[in-house]
Amino acid sequence: MRAPRPWHFLVLVVPFGVSFGWVGVALPYVARQKGIPVEAISSIQAAAFLPHALKVLWAPVVDATLTRKAWYGIALALLAAGTFAMVAMPITPGSLGALGAVVVASQVGLTLLYMACEGTLGRAVPAERKSTAASWLQAGTFLGMGVGGGLAIELVTHLSGQLSGAIIALGMCLCALPLLAFDEPLDGGTHSRAGAARELLRDVWSLIRSRAGVVAIFFAVSTVGAGVASNLFSALADDWHVSRALVETTNGWLAGIVQASGAGLGGWAMKRLDRRAAYMIAGGMSATMGIAMALGPRDWWAYVGFTLVYNLFAGAAYAAFSAFVYATIGKSAVATKYNILACIMNGAISGKYALVGRASRRWGGTGVLLSDATITYSGIVMLLIVIAISARLAPSEPASFPAAPRGRRRPPARQSGASRGRRRAASPGARTP
């Protein structure tokens, strides 16, 4: 069977990034230009994460029915239609409720598409190539977000919303072409309902009760590598006196390339560091860049420099988190187990957006960046404590040979009479067993 190559996931996941690029890059900028406050924009961002916090409810359906390719096709159709609707809708203070509902509904297709990619990666990619494939997957996500966000700003500026949405939806559909280059895993077909339910329950329970699974849950709760501020950078452009063209470039095309490069940096780092360490270092560096931006000058060059470095480390953090999760969950019930952790993480991210939005109401852009950094550093401290406790609870590694019981001598191996004689001759002072 033809196995998927790691770079296939770069292309397959681009529609996910493009759709979320509209929500995370283009929508905040366009809404801010029309006088909508950052707090209201942040509430839409928080609502967009709700389906991602609930997707574990339908992840077992993806694991137990159809094929990964079939689910990818279904998800891509839903995602293209939802993205078209989001781009085509007017953005006004009076339409925020309807726009938020469309954004939330479109995220369901987003979750299904990512589950199809997760299932293929977890089941079909060899273990030694999973970290590389996870890095490509995150690179495609960020590249799609950057290109999609920048392209959306450019299109809606010069064309109607309907035509812009149609162009974006058509481009997303072309990303399904890599499906023709590999075969389905042998065990990726349908299962009986009873058998699938029993298998899923066993796999999920084994994840939750394991030490590695508990540590992974804490990593998901921490939101250390969430990069929340990156989805609000375009809404903060006026505070740094940045033009539309520079926002489009910095948070669009260039951000996608930088975040994809960050995912590659994360893949390189994970060959030299523990995945957990790589995740915490990358998340901590992104928070540090946020603090530097908050305390630095309010000028365009500071905006460009700090946001790009922030996005570089955010990309590395997401790649490290994905690789850590894939190494933890194994090959069975991949979509369900991955999305248990992803739902926990996205629920925590939604709460983080709410806190950051409240901080922006009181302290503006500075509040956004400092609150994001404070929550991130608190998460790192929590993870260090969890890792230390887990290490103390871990059983000691078995010795290469069983040790003799204390107070007794281990009997020697049986020897022939000639060998015993030679041994006594060579060591006259040695004690005879």
Side-chain angles (χ1 to χ4, degrees):
M1 297 183 66
R2 298 172 300 166
R5 298 179 180 271
W7 67 265
H8 287 160
F9 297 95
L10 170 74
V11 181
L12 290 173
V13 81
V14 162
F16 179 99
V18 169
S19 181
F20 210 86
W22 167 256
V23 177
V25 178
L27 176 60
Y29 178 77
V30 175
R32 193 73 185 94
Q33 296 305 303
K34 296 188 177 183
I36 297 174
V38 175
E39 185 180 8
I41 299 171
S42 181
S43 66
I44 295 179
Q45 300 275 355
F49 274 92
L50 289 178
H52 298 273
L54 299 173
K55 60 185 178 180
V56 70
L57 299 177
W58 51 88
V61 179
V62 177
D63 268 329
T65 62
L66 303 179
T67 64
R68 302 304 183 273
K69 288 186 176 182
W71 276 114
Y72 184 92
I74 294 170
L76 185 60
L78 294 173
L79 188 56
T83 304
F84 170 79
M86 285 192 297
V87 179
M89 286 186 67
I91 302 176
T92 62
S95 67
L96 286 183
L99 179 61
V102 173
V103 168
V104 171
S106 71
Q107 302 306 298
V108 176
L110 222 66
T111 63
L112 292 174
L113 185 136
Y114 209 83
M115 287 177 193
C117 293
E118 293 162 357
T120 303
L121 193 157
R123 302 173 76 101
V125 177
E128 66 274 9
R129 305 182 74 181
K130 282 188 178 181
S131 292
T132 304
S135 297
W136 280 107
L137 184 70
Q138 292 300 324
T141 302
F142 290 123
L143 188 63
M145 287 179 63
V147 173
L151 179 64
I153 293 176
E154 187 69 19
L155 289 175
V156 298
T157 302
H158 298 94
L159 303 174
S160 66
Q162 291 83 355
L163 182 56
S164 300
I167 293 173
I168 295 173
L170 178 61
M172 292 167 65
C173 292
L174 296 177
C175 294
L177 291 177
L179 294 178
L180 303 176
F182 62 87
D183 300 314
E184 285 283 312
L186 290 175
D187 56 349
T190 58
H191 303 76
S192 67
R193 293 182 180 179
R198 287 193 298 268
E199 181 181 353
L200 287 172
L201 288 175
R202 284 196 301 266
D203 289 331
V204 171
W205 176 243
S206 67
L207 172 69
I208 295 174
R209 70 187 294 268
S210 67
R211 182 180 293 105
V214 172
V215 172
I217 289 172
F218 276 101
F219 267 76
V221 171
S222 70
T223 68
V224 166
V228 164
S230 63
N231 286 336
L232 295 172
F233 281 148
S234 59
L236 304 179
D238 288 344
D239 294 350
W240 273 260
H241 314 292
V242 181
S243 65
R244 179 196 64 82
L246 196 56
V247 170
E248 176 186 332
T249 301
T250 304
N251 295 288
W253 323 94
L254 195 53
I257 295 173
V258 168
Q259 289 176 323
S261 301
L265 175 65
W268 174 86
M270 283 181 287
K271 295 179 180 179
R272 294 158 176 82
L273 295 173
D274 181 84
R275 296 180 180 94
R276 300 172 300 179
Y279 177 69
M280 289 186 287
I281 291 172
M285 290 301 299
S286 67
T288 302
M289 290 302 103
I291 293 175
M293 182 176 175
L295 303 179
R298 294 292 198 271
D299 209 339
W300 68 268
W301 59 266
Y303 179 90
V304 172
F306 287 125
T307 57
L308 290 181
V309 178
Y310 183 103
N311 284 324
L312 178 73
F313 287 110
Y318 269 101
F321 180 79
S322 292
F324 169 64
V325 171
Y326 285 122
T328 301
I329 62 178
K331 291 186 175 182
S332 58
V334 174
T336 301
K337 290 191 286 187
Y338 186 97
N339 284 288
I340 288 174
L341 299 174
C343 286
I344 295 172
M345 182 178 183
N346 289 317
I349 291 175
S350 181
K352 192 173 183 179
Y353 270 114
L355 294 174
V356 168
R358 292 178 184 175
S360 71
R361 181 174 57 185
R362 296 192 61 179
W363 301 294
T366 300
V368 169
L369 297 169
L370 293 183
S371 60
D372 175 43
T374 300
I375 299 172
T376 298
Y377 285 136
S378 300
I380 292 174
V381 172
M382 179 189 72
L383 292 182
L384 291 174
I385 295 173
V386 169
I387 292 173
I389 294 174
S390 176
R392 289 180 63 87
L393 294 177
S396 59
E397 293 294 327
S400 299
F401 299 96
R406 184 172 299 178
R408 296 176 56 192
R409 296 176 56 86
R410 190 191 313 184
R414 295 180 60 87
Q415 296 177 332
S416 65
S419 63
R420 287 196 300 269
R422 285 193 300 269
R423 182 175 180 183
R424 282 194 294 267
S427 305
R431 293 178 58 187
T432 303

